[in-house]
Amino acid sequence: MSLTLLENVSSFFGWVIRGSFMAFILIVLVLILQFLLRNKIEARWKYWLWLPVAIRLLLPWAPESSLSLYNVLSLEAIAPGIHQQTQASSGWKEAGRISEATVHVERSTNPEASGTSEVPAFESGPVQESGFWWNGFKQIGFANTLMSVWLAGVLLFSAKTVCDQLRLKQALRTGRKIDMPLLSAVFHETKQQIGVKRNVQFVASERIPGPAVVGFRNPAIVISPSLLITLKKDQLQYILAHEFAHIQRRDVAVNWLMHIILIIHWFNPLLWLAVRKARQDQEMACDACALNRMSPQQNNAYGQTIIHVLEHYSGKQRQPGLAGLSATHKQMKRRLTMIKQFHKKSYRLSILAMGMIIALGSVTLVNAKESDSGSVTPKAPVQSEQDSKAVVNHVSDMIYPEGNIDRELYKTELEKARKKAVAAAKALTPEEKKYIEDETNRVKKLSEETGDMYVLYHKYKDPNSGFDLSYWGGIETFTAYEDYLKSAATLEGSILKQPANLPEGYKFSKARIEGPTEGKFLDEVRAEGKKSGKPVYAKKIDWKEAATIRLEYTNGKDTLAISKYTLDSEGSKKKGFFEDELPAHIYPKYVFWHEGGFEYSISTTWDMSKDQKVEILKEAVQK
């Protein structure tokens, strides 16, 4: 599965988990309301009470409100572990970023445990993505396992649904159309009485259980011949009235919608109960719809017909493509009581029921009000999020990367990395520990004195947060454009210059030049390091061409960033200008330019057209 597809699936899975949790609470509320008001609201309104549940499960987005029930009953408050994992599952890019930042802080704050002290800040390009993939995967391993189980269940239930539907279509094809004059007359008379104007077939089949409606685009009412011969004219009319009520109310389409929701949320046991209860309420609502078109004197006869049908057939219709006159024996008592007590006025608008549905929707179809200290801020700039320079959080002693990240997840993963590094360090001999410390301090001093870049090969990866390589130096930062330009002029290859067509009001903010962290020289370092047999092996890197250059401009509010990256073999296959596929509501939109083994990019924290970005990028690249 590609990374992009995996991100999309895991983001969808996070939405499913959160939606299922909110629907769980809503289902409990509906069941309580139905129990408390069982004698005060009518059949169809009991059925309509399930509407907010369906809407909640289908909402891709909902506004925030202080009235939301989820301000009190939130997934984070009730199951913080699950909430954290689902948040991680919908942010693979963020997990990779936190993984990178964790390594940086681990190395910079605990050299005794990690065996090194600094790592350069990598950009989110093709070069480093593969390097942090496994760390990101381990961070969300629990969520990834849950997602795999969920996806397997979805595929299994989907396959079963397809098979059931194919069998249903085959059974319908083997049925025969009923065209006897008497039966056809009753059929058309009842159709007119209920007010159905659609084209509906009348079919006899023993292979489809009970009287039922099949299909929603081209509906057919199916009755078994063995039941048909036992019915009188009035009884047939009552059955047809019920089935036409299903067609009039589009119940087959509704059943399909409920079934699709059930497939997606198959792991939610309360949702299975809700669907079963909704199907039962659907039957009673159709009874009410049919009785509303009859005279009160026919109520008793209608109820007797229901009993007669269920004596002939007492099975359960679970297929989404079916809607029919069915019920369990336990449900029959409720239905017969409703039929006996039915009055036409009870089918009219119920102010109480309508008020309940509106009240229920107002507190459950809106999301909890996020506090200002939310863990992730939408529209957070990529360049700020991915800057791995550590800053001190004055609320506690924890050191966080700059930018908006999930701090709870960051703290958890940082603690895991530290514990693993400490455990691995304990396995080293005193001599190895001493050598690693001395060599690291030597390289650190050399890098500070000369400004040179060094790469260290680590024989033992675990004390180094799972990496066999780390870097010292190789990063130059500038706050004045003249200083940057002076340094960039000594480099070989293309560089970035200040574009003349910058938007009005934008001024230079900062720049960064980084040495290479990929290339054949790494294989040489690894080979030499292994041959040396030493716990850590250091080598100076003489580089003439920058692997990464970044310029940032700001107007005091928004930021424009222009970057250059070295591409790997995979990235080099793509040529020309193109936009990224990152979620636009979370990350600023990038325009990339691949040419000559390099990737040039431009991003803004506000909306700017692709053409304008391309022109600025062309102006910025100096070859």
Side-chain angles (χ1 to χ4, degrees):
M1 187 182 291
S2 68
L3 180 58
T4 301
L5 178 59
L6 190 58
E7 289 171 1
N8 292 335
V9 173
S10 51
S11 178
F12 182 76
F13 175 61
W15 170 75
V16 168
I17 292 294
R18 293 187 291 275
S20 199
F21 169 79
M22 289 187 280
F24 188 99
I25 295 172
L26 185 49
I27 290 168
V28 172
L29 286 178
V30 171
L31 291 173
I32 292 173
L33 285 174
Q34 287 193 342
F35 176 76
L36 295 176
L37 303 173
R38 57 190 179 277
N39 297 323
K40 293 182 176 62
I41 56 175
E42 292 73 41
R44 71 163 179 169
W45 292 105
K46 287 182 181 178
Y47 180 48
W48 279 108
L49 276 175
W50 295 109
L51 180 62
V53 178
I55 295 175
R56 178 73 264 182
L57 289 167
L58 294 172
L59 273 180
W61 172 87
E64 296 176 1
S65 172
S66 57
L67 297 177
S68 174
L69 182 65
Y70 309 114
N71 285 308
V72 180
L73 300 174
S74 66
L75 181 60
E76 183 175 11
I78 295 174
I82 294 294
H83 170 77
Q84 189 180 85
Q85 293 295 342
T86 56
Q87 287 293 100
S89 72
S90 62
W92 287 79
K93 292 282 184 182
E94 183 182 17
R97 184 177 72 249
I98 292 173
S99 173
E100 174 187 345
T102 301
V103 173
H104 171 75
V105 176
E106 174 66 24
R107 295 177 182 184
S108 62
T109 60
N110 194 1
E112 293 80 13
S114 64
T116 186
S117 301
E118 186 175 353
V119 64
F122 298 102
E123 301 292 341
S124 61
V127 174
Q128 80 288 353
E129 185 173 283
S130 59
F132 295 110
W133 163 256
W134 176 242
N135 273 27
F137 179 83
K138 288 192 295 182
Q139 283 183 286
I140 53 178
F142 175 66
N144 187 57
T145 301
L146 288 181
M147 184 183 71
S148 299
V149 174
W150 164 76
L151 191 57
V154 169
L155 295 175
L156 181 64
F157 282 111
S158 298
K160 183 181 183 302
T161 300
V162 171
C163 292
D164 289 343
Q165 191 63 16
L166 291 175
R167 282 196 292 266
L168 182 61
K169 287 184 176 293
Q170 180 62 30
L172 186 61
R173 281 194 292 266
T174 60
R176 59 184 178 84
K177 186 177 180 181
I178 299 174
D179 52 10
M180 295 175 61
L182 177 61
L183 297 179
S184 295
V186 175
F187 180 83
H188 290 292
E189 180 185 343
T190 310
K191 179 182 177 184
Q192 186 177 11
Q193 181 185 11
I194 300 300
V196 175
K197 296 181 180 180
R198 302 173 64 191
N199 183 33
V200 183
Q201 297 184 50
F202 193 19
V203 178
S205 174
E206 289 286 1
R207 295 183 59 183
I208 295 178
V213 176
V214 179
F216 60 90
R217 284 186 299 180
N218 301 301
I221 294 178
V222 183
I223 299 180
S224 65
S226 58
L227 173 63
L228 200 56
I229 61 175
T230 69
L231 298 175
K232 298 177 183 179
K233 177 186 175 181
D234 290 345
Q235 290 177 318
L236 176 60
Q237 190 173 25
Y238 298 147
I239 291 172
L240 290 174
H242 183 95
E243 301 310 320
F244 276 120
H246 277 301
I247 295 173
Q248 183 81 342
R249 295 165 54 81
R250 310 278 178 167
D251 282 339
V252 174
V254 172
N255 290 347
W256 266 113
L257 183 63
M258 288 194 292
H259 189 75
I260 291 170
I261 289 174
L262 198 59
I263 288 175
I264 296 174
H265 297 267
W266 61 266
F267 55 88
N268 189 333
L270 203 58
L271 188 57
W272 287 84
L273 173 64
V275 170
R276 183 169 66 86
K277 294 283 291 181
R279 290 291 290 263
Q280 292 174 1
D281 291 336
Q282 181 187 92
E283 289 299 304
M284 294 182 68
C286 281
D287 287 336
C289 181
L291 290 169
N292 192 58
R293 268 76 170 181
M294 300 177 190
S295 64
Q297 291 77 18
Q298 293 176 301
N299 289 10
N300 186 58
Y302 180 89
Q304 292 298 324
T305 301
I306 299 293
I307 295 174
H308 175 77
V309 171
L310 294 177
E311 285 176 349
H312 183 272
Y313 170 74
S314 59
K316 299 177 182 178
Q317 295 177 349
R318 296 297 188 192
Q319 295 189 46
L322 288 176
L325 199 157
S326 63
T328 62
H329 289 291
K330 186 176 181 180
Q331 186 194 359
M332 275 310 303
K333 184 177 179 181
R334 290 178 58 220
R335 289 183 68 175
L336 291 175
T337 301
M338 187 279 295
I339 292 169
K340 184 178 180 181
Q341 298 175 350
F342 180 82
H343 298 285
K344 283 181 181 277
K345 66 177 182 179
S346 67
Y347 193 69
R348 297 172 187 164
L349 182 65
S350 169
I351 297 177
L352 173 62
M354 180 64 76
M356 278 198 307
I357 292 174
I358 294 174
L360 203 59
S362 65
V363 298
T364 60
L365 298 183
V366 288
N367 291 340
K369 189 77 173 177
E370 292 289 343
S371 63
D372 294 335
S373 58
S375 60
V376 179
T377 303
K379 289 287 182 184
V382 169
Q383 62 268 22
S384 178
E385 290 179 341
Q386 293 180 335
D387 189 346
S388 61
K389 180 183 176 182
V391 293
V392 177
N393 173 26
H394 296 289
V395 177
S396 66
D397 294 331
M398 176 62 67
I399 298 178
Y400 294 100
E402 286 182 350
N404 296 290
I405 66 167
D406 188 331
R407 293 196 168 193
E408 289 302 316
L409 178 60
Y410 178 88
K411 287 166 64 176
T412 300
E413 296 307 320
L414 181 59
E415 186 60 26
K416 286 181 183 178
R418 282 178 172 163
K419 286 181 179 179
K420 187 173 182 180
V422 169
K426 289 180 179 178
L428 300 176
T429 65
E431 292 77 14
E432 289 174 326
K433 290 180 181 179
K434 182 69 165 59
Y435 185 87
I436 291 172
E437 182 179 354
D438 291 345
E439 187 67 0
T440 300
N441 289 334
R442 182 184 71 86
V443 171
K444 178 181 179 181
K445 186 177 181 180
L446 280 173
S447 177
E448 290 174 349
E449 290 175 351
T450 63
D452 293 330
M453 178 179 177
Y454 289 84
V455 58
L456 281 77
Y457 169 79
H458 299 265
K459 180 179 179 181
Y460 307 109
K461 295 190 294 184
D462 284 344
N464 191 47
S465 301
F467 292 90
D468 64 344
L469 297 176
S470 61
Y471 302 84
W472 280 97
I475 302 177
E476 294 180 275
T477 57
F478 309 89
T479 55
Y481 178 73
E482 292 73 17
D483 293 339
Y484 155 76
L485 202 59
K486 183 178 178 181
S487 179
T490 64
L491 299 174
E492 296 178 358
S494 63
I495 62 170
L496 298 177
K497 65 176 182 177
Q498 183 163 297
N501 54 353
L502 279 172
E504 186 177 353
Y506 278 78
K507 297 181 180 180
F508 178 84
S509 172
K510 59 184 176 180
R512 186 168 72 238
I513 299 176
E514 298 180 9
T517 57
E518 293 288 339
K520 293 182 179 179
F521 73 92
L522 295 184
D523 294 331
E524 297 174 359
V525 172
R526 286 188 174 100
E528 292 173 10
K530 291 177 182 178
K531 185 177 180 181
S532 72
K534 298 175 181 177
V536 63
Y537 172 80
K539 185 173 182 178
K540 178 184 173 183
I541 303 300
D542 293 316
W543 53 282
K544 302 293 184 181
E545 188 169 9
T548 300
I549 299 177
R550 184 180 187 85
L551 303 181
E552 290 187 16
Y553 296 87
T554 182
N555 65 354
K557 177 183 177 183
D558 292 309
T559 302
L560 183 150
I562 305 170
S563 302
K564 168 193 172 181
Y565 311 100
T566 302
L567 289 172
D568 59 10
S569 57
E570 287 297 317
S572 299
K573 294 178 182 179
K574 204 167 184 178
K575 303 292 183 182
F577 293 92
F578 56 93
E579 291 185 296
D580 65 63
E581 298 177 354
L582 296 172
H585 67 289
I586 298 177
Y587 302 101
K589 202 69 180 173
Y590 271 75
V591 169
F592 297 102
W593 179 17
H594 284 193
E595 186 178 66
F598 292 97
E599 174 186 88
Y600 305 99
S601 71
I602 178 172
S603 69
T604 59
T605 57
W606 79 100
D607 291 334
M608 178 187 282
S609 69
K610 178 183 176 182
D611 292 341
Q612 188 176 357
K613 288 180 180 178
V614 168
E615 291 305 314
I616 294 175
L617 192 56
K618 285 181 179 179
E619 182 73 16
V621 177
Q622 178 179 310
K623 299 181 180 179

